[in-house]
Amino acid sequence: MEQPVVGLVVHPTKNVQESVETLRRWNASGRGELLARRADAQRLGGTIDVVDEDEFTDRVDMVVALGGDGTMLGAMRLVARRPVPVLGVNYGNVGFLVEIEPPELEAALERLSAGEYQLEPHHALEAKLSWSGARTEYLAFNDLTVVRRPGAGQVSADLSVGGLGYGYYRADAIVASTPAGSTAYNYAAGGPVLSPALSGSVVTPVAPMAGIDRSVVLAARERYRLDIAEGTRSAALEVDGLVVGEVATGAQIDIRLRKDASSVVRLDAARHGRTGRVKLSLLDLPVRPDQLIELIPQDLRQRLSHDLEQ
C-alpha cells in the first residue's frame, strides 16, 4: 500500500503515547499520511492532522485502533459505511480481536507498506429497533443484547425466524452474536463458539427462567425478530457491550447478518489463532489473571526470574 492515508482511533482514557509516537515518526517519514478525528485532538497534541468524522471516514485507506477489543469494535463501526481495513494495537486486557502489542507497531507498519499482510473479513448484525413510532438502526460486530435492568424483573421476548414463530424467552438477557462475538457474552452464558469461517449467528438466553433455554444457531440468510413481550418493564439494549437505548413491552428488533461488513488486518493469522485459543482456554480457569503465576512451579518461577535479571 503506497502512500496510504491511515486513520487513528484511540482509547478515551488509556495511555497510548508509545504507539502515537511511533505513528508520528512514520508520518514524518513521508511514507503515508496520518489523520485523526477532531474529537481526539486534545489527547494527541498538535502534530497530527485532525478532521471531522465524516471527512475521516471518507479519506482513510486504513485505520489503526489503539486500545482493546472495544476500541477496535468502535473503529470497525465507525468505518462500516466504507469498510476499510482495521489494525488493532493491544492496550486492553484479554483482546481477542487485536493482534499486535505496542512494541510491534513499527515493524507492522513496515509490513503494511510492503503489502505483507492478510485481510480477515468480519460479519456484523444489522438490527432495526421499532418502538413507540420510532425506528433506529444499529450495527453490532460482536453481539446485540437485551438485558434486564436491576429491579425491573426479567426480559420476555418472542422469537420468530423468517416470519414464523419459534418460541419465547424469559431470562435475565438475550444475546444475539456473530461468529467473532460468540467468544464474548454468548460464551460466558454457556453458548457455543462458532467458527470464524461460519456465516451465521447464535441467539443465547442468559439465566433462562422459562421458554427457550438453549442456544439457537441461525444461517446467514435467515432474518429473525425479537418481539419484546408483556412483562418486560425496562431493559437495556446493548451493542458490542455499549448501552445504546432502552426497550420495553411492544418493541420489535429485526436482525439479519451482514456478511463481510468489515476487514481486520492480520500480519500472522496462524499466530493470532493460536493466541486466541490460549486466551479462550484461560478464561475457563477458576482464577484471576494475577493468580495464574501461582500455577507455575516455584523452581520454574525462580529460574525465569533469574533469566530476566540477566
Side-chain angles (χ1 to χ4, degrees), residues 33-306:
E33 181 182 356
L34 187 61
L35 281 184
R37 296 176 297 166
R38 201 172 303 281
D40 293 328
Q42 288 187 340
R43 299 205 65 224
L44 299 174
T47 59
I48 297 175
D49 290 339
V50 294
V51 295
D52 292 332
E53 196 164 285
D54 287 345
E55 184 177 351
F56 180 93
T57 56
D58 286 339
R59 289 181 55 189
V60 295
D61 300 309
M62 179 178 292
V63 172
V64 175
L66 308 180
D69 281 354
T71 305
M72 193 163 177
L73 289 166
M76 292 162 68
R77 289 194 300 270
L78 178 65
V79 295
R81 176 173 56 84
R82 181 175 162 263
V84 299
V86 179
L87 171 69
V89 182
N90 188 26
Y91 281 88
N93 296 314
V94 179
F96 284 97
L97 276 175
V98 290
E99 179 177 358
I100 66 171
E101 299 299 320
E104 300 173 306
L105 178 56
E106 188 167 1
L109 292 170
E110 295 288 344
R111 292 185 61 182
L112 291 175
S113 297
E116 298 174 358
Y117 62 93
Q118 298 173 308
L119 294 180
E120 178 182 277
H122 276 254
H123 310 317
L125 296 177
E126 288 183 341
K128 297 180 180 178
L129 169 64
S130 302
W131 189 35
S132 299
R135 190 177 179 87
T136 312
E137 297 185 3
Y138 301 100
L139 192 67
F141 282 96
N142 255 9
D143 47 41
L144 181 136
T145 305
V146 181
V147 57
R148 68 182 290 268
R149 292 193 184 276
Q154 273 68 47
V155 172
S156 183
D158 298 315
L159 172 67
S160 57
V161 180
L164 299 176
Y166 192 95
Y168 81 99
Y169 296 98
R170 187 180 172 208
D172 279 359
I174 305 165
V175 185
S177 304
T178 64
S182 66
T183 59
Y185 200 172
N186 164 76
Y187 181 72
V193 174
L194 303 186
S195 166
L198 179 67
S199 296
S201 61
V202 57
V203 182
T204 299
V206 178
M209 299 281 291
I212 304 170
D213 63 355
R214 302 187 186 188
S215 298
V216 177
V217 178
L218 298 159
R221 69 177 183 277
E222 293 181 299
R223 301 189 179 207
Y224 51 103
R225 170 185 287 184
L226 291 172
D227 286 279
I228 308 302
E230 192 72 32
T232 306
R233 301 200 305 272
S234 175
L237 179 63
E238 295 184 355
V239 170
D240 291 337
L242 299 175
V243 176
V244 296
E246 182 177 351
V247 296
T249 302
Q252 297 176 333
I253 307 172
D254 291 283
I255 305 171
R256 64 181 290 270
L257 190 78
R258 185 202 291 185
K259 297 177 64 175
D260 301 339
S262 181
S263 58
V264 171
V265 174
R266 290 289 175 235
L267 300 171
D268 189 339
R271 186 190 77 162
H272 180 262
R274 290 192 301 270
T275 303
R277 287 193 293 274
V278 170
K279 290 177 178 179
L280 195 61
S281 65
L282 289 177
L283 291 179
D284 278 335
L285 294 174
V287 293
R288 294 189 301 271
D290 60 309
Q291 295 173 326
L292 289 174
I293 190 69
E294 298 175 10
L295 302 181
I296 302 175
Q298 181 66 28
D299 60 334
L300 180 56
R301 271 187 275 171
Q302 292 174 345
R303 195 182 318 146
L304 289 172
S305 177
H306 179 268

